[in-house]
Structures are given as C-alpha cells and as structure tokens.
C-alpha cells in the first residue's frame, strides 16, 4: 500500500526548512512562506503553524530592504501583508505597519513612463498596486497601473509588428510570456481600458501561423472576451487551448506549471487528454485525482519550498483549489 502524502506532511517539511530562508520576498522568501502557512494553519486549526507564519511575516517587515520588486522585494511583502489583512489572518493596520514602505514604492514609480525597460519589468507589481490602491483608495496607484499598461501596450504594438521578420524568432517566446502575463493582469484587475487592437494584432499573427499555440494565452483570451463581450476570436481561443494541451510534455513541466494547468481545468469542465500525453498520467484532469497525483510527484524529487514555484504554492492550492495564486 502506497503511503499518501498529506497537507500536514507538506506543512511539516516547509516548517523544517523555513529557518534556512533569508530572503524576505514573496516568491522565494519569508513573506511567501508566511502566506502559505497562515492558510494551512487555518485549515489544520494548528496554532503552532500560525505562530510560525506570524513570525515569518514580522521578520519580512523588519529586515531593511532596498529591493522594491514584487517577486523578491517590498512590493511582494506588501502584497502578502494586504492579503493576510483582507482575509482576516491578521488584525492589523496596513498604513501603520507598511505606510513608509508603501510611499517608497509609490515614489519609485515617478516618471516611470520615461523608463521603458522598467515598465516591462514592473508588470507583476500591478498585483500589489491594485490591492493597495483598493484598500487605501489611492489614485496614485491607479495612475501608475495605467502608465504601466499603456507602456506595455506600446511595447507589444512594436514587437508584434516585428514578428513577421524571420530573424526575430529568438525573442518570440519571451515576448509571448510577457503577453500572457499582461492578459492575466488585465483580467485580474478588471482593466477595461486595455487596447483591443492588441487582441487583433495577436489574432492576426496566430492565424498567419507566426506564433505557436499557448494554453495560457488561449485561456486568458477566453476570460477577457467573455467578460467584455468581445466577438470574433473563438477560433484563436479554441485552437490555442486545444493545441496547447496537445503540446504539453509532462516531464518538462515544473511544479508551478502543473498547478496552473490543473487550476485552469478545475475552473472549467474536465479536459480530455490522450493517455500517451497526459499531464500526470491521467486521461482526464479532475480536481481530486490530480491533487493526489501531484502529492505523489513531490515524493520523487527535492522541490524548493518557496511560494513562487515550490511547495508553499502547492500547499495553498491543496488547501483551497479556488485560492488566489499570483
């Protein structure tokens, strides 16, 4: 009889390793671990786990940090803090705890429209700015989001134009990954002012077979076109999703990619997959079987514990398959 890995098992493993983490960040540091452990502590009704989660978020707040990024710096710490406050894991005043750091982040975005490279690299900071602006009702945060989106849209307009150049192929995957993130963000923040022409530009390139299929892009296009009643992209959406699934190679997927894939299918009807190319050796992705199989997969290799791509992310997903994962 095979031994089943449980949520307490994953939690215990993270607890044993968390004292080796020095970074404060959301993706690979204390803030991300705290986020996952708070969620697990509520699920397990375990005060010890909650106390450790509390200590980790405190440590991430007191360590002096010049990195303002979302993945590894203050914006990610701020996001974790906002999430914990909004979901009542912490009874705290955001301004009192994080007001100075918040102003530091906001000030760093002054004249960002004059720095194209930082505009592109600041997309994920929108997760933090959106949450903070909503709680604080700060119009500055909304203005920064608008600047970032408009700058990124200009970037895509130029880049998509170059896709017809055969010598441009080396950059396409990177640009399409950024485009996928952009689509996720405009859906996440309900950004209704996004450029509709970017949908048409992408669709035109796709129909001319200038870009390969992407499950992520197909899924995001589906959400956005349904939300804003945009017609004319059903063929692009269907082919992206269908071909994207057929192009999946299970041995090449990271733990994060497997979680994201299951999350997509959990929100929709189960997706049929050929047995020879199943995600985790299942013909049908289902919310229960795939979680069990994911737990089996982590026994076979040493996974990182961080929230970005590791066991802390898996822990949150196992506790609640509808939970927000950024």
């Amino acid at each position: 009889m095979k031994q089943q890995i449980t949520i307490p098992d994953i939690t215990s493993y993270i607890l044993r390793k968390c004292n080796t983490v020095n970074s404060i960040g959301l993706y690979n540091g204390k803030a991300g671990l705290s986020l996952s452990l708070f969620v697990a502590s509520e699920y397990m009704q375990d005060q010890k786990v909650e106390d450790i989660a509390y200590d980790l978020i405190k440590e991430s707040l007191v360590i002096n940090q010049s990195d303002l990024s979302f993945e590894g710096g203050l914006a990610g710490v701020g996001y974790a803090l906002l999430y914990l406050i909004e979901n009542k894991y912490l009874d705290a005043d955001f301004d009192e705890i994080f007001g100075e750091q918040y102003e530091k982040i906001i000030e760093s975005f002054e004249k960002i429209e004059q720095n194209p490279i930082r505009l592109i690299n600041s997309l994920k900071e929108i997760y933090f700015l959106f949450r903070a602006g909503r709680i604080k009702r700060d119009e500055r945060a909304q203005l920064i989001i608008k600047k970032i989106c408009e700058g990124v849209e200009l970037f895509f307009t130029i880049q998509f134009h170059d896709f017809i150049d055969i010598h441009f192929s080396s950059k396409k995957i990177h640009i399409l990954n950024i485009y996928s993130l952009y689509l996720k963000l405009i859906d996440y923040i309900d950004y209704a002012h996004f450029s509709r022409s970017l949908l048409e530009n992408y669709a035109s390139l796709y129909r001319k077979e200038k870009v390969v299929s992407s499950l992520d892009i197909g899924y995001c296009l589906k959400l956005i076109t349904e939300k804003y009643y945009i017609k004319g992209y059903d063929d692009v959406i269907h082919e992206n999703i269908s071909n994207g699934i057929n192009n999946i190679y299970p041995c090449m997927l990271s733990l994060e990619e497997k979680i994201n894939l299951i999350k997509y299918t959990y929100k929709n009807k189960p997706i049929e997959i050929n047995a020879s190319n199943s995600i985790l050796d299942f013909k049908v992705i289902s919310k229960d079987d795939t979680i069990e199989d994911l737990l089996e997969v982590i026994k076979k290799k040493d996974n990182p514990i961080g929230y970005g791509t590791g066991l802390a992310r898996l822990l949150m997903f196992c506790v609640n398959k509808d939970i927000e994962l950024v």
Side-chain angles (χ1 to χ4, degrees), residues 112-256:
I112 189 173
E113 65 275 13
Q114 298 176 16
N115 188 343
I117 294 177
R118 187 165 178 230
L119 271 170
I120 305 304
N121 293 333
S122 295
L123 260 176
K124 284 190 176 180
E125 271 82 333
I126 288 177
Y127 285 121
F128 167 69
L129 292 166
F130 175 68
R131 272 192 175 274
R134 187 173 59 187
I135 274 193
K136 293 173 63 65
R137 302 186 184 278
D138 187 349
E139 293 182 0
R140 295 177 299 168
Q142 294 302 320
L143 178 60
I144 293 168
I145 290 173
K146 185 172 183 289
K147 285 182 178 180
I148 294 173
C149 288
E150 289 176 350
V152 170
E153 287 168 355
L154 177 59
F155 166 81
F156 285 128
T157 299
I158 296 169
Q159 299 298 323
F160 282 167
H161 180 268
D162 290 340
F163 266 44
I164 58 175
D165 185 347
I166 60 172
H167 301 295
F168 194 70
S169 59
S170 62
K171 296 182 180 179
K172 284 185 179 180
I173 293 176
H174 175 62
I175 291 165
L176 290 174
N177 286 338
I178 299 173
Y179 185 62
S180 175
L181 174 59
Y182 162 80
L183 294 177
K184 289 176 186 176
L185 282 163
I186 63 175
D187 175 62
Y188 178 83
I189 66 175
D190 293 326
Y191 184 70
H193 303 295
F194 70 91
S195 171
R196 270 50 172 184
S197 65
L198 282 186
L199 301 189
E200 183 56 40
N201 291 344
Y202 171 82
S204 176
L205 288 170
Y206 186 84
R207 289 168 179 145
K208 293 175 182 177
E209 300 184 348
K210 299 296 182 182
V211 294
V212 297
S213 298
S214 163
L215 177 58
D216 278 349
I217 291 177
Y219 179 74
C220 292
L221 285 174
K222 181 177 184 293
L223 293 178
I224 291 167
T225 54
E226 289 177 352
K227 180 180 291 187
Y228 296 105
Y229 306 101
I230 300 173
K231 304 296 183 182
Y233 298 100
D234 287 351
D235 60 322
V236 176
I237 292 168
H238 174 76
E239 288 181 24
N240 262 291
I241 293 176
S242 178
N243 294 338
I245 289 170
N246 289 331
N247 291 335
I248 290 169
Y249 294 92
C251 63
M252 298 179 66
L253 292 178
S254 67
L255 181 59
E256 178 190 13

Side-chain angles (χ1 to χ4, degrees), residues 13 29 40 51 68 71 86 125 137 140 209 245 255 309 323:
Y13 184 82
D51 291 343
L68 305 181
E71 293 95 329
E86 283 190 273
E125 271 82 333
R137 302 186 184 278
R140 295 177 299 168
E209 300 184 348
I245 289 170
L255 181 59
T309 60
I323 205 161

Side-chain angles (χ1 to χ4, degrees), residues 265-279:
T265 57
Y266 173 66
K267 287 185 175 181
N268 297 278
K269 64 181 181 180
I271 296 178
E272 295 284 349
I273 297 179
N274 296 331
S276 61
N277 193 29
S278 63
I279 304 309

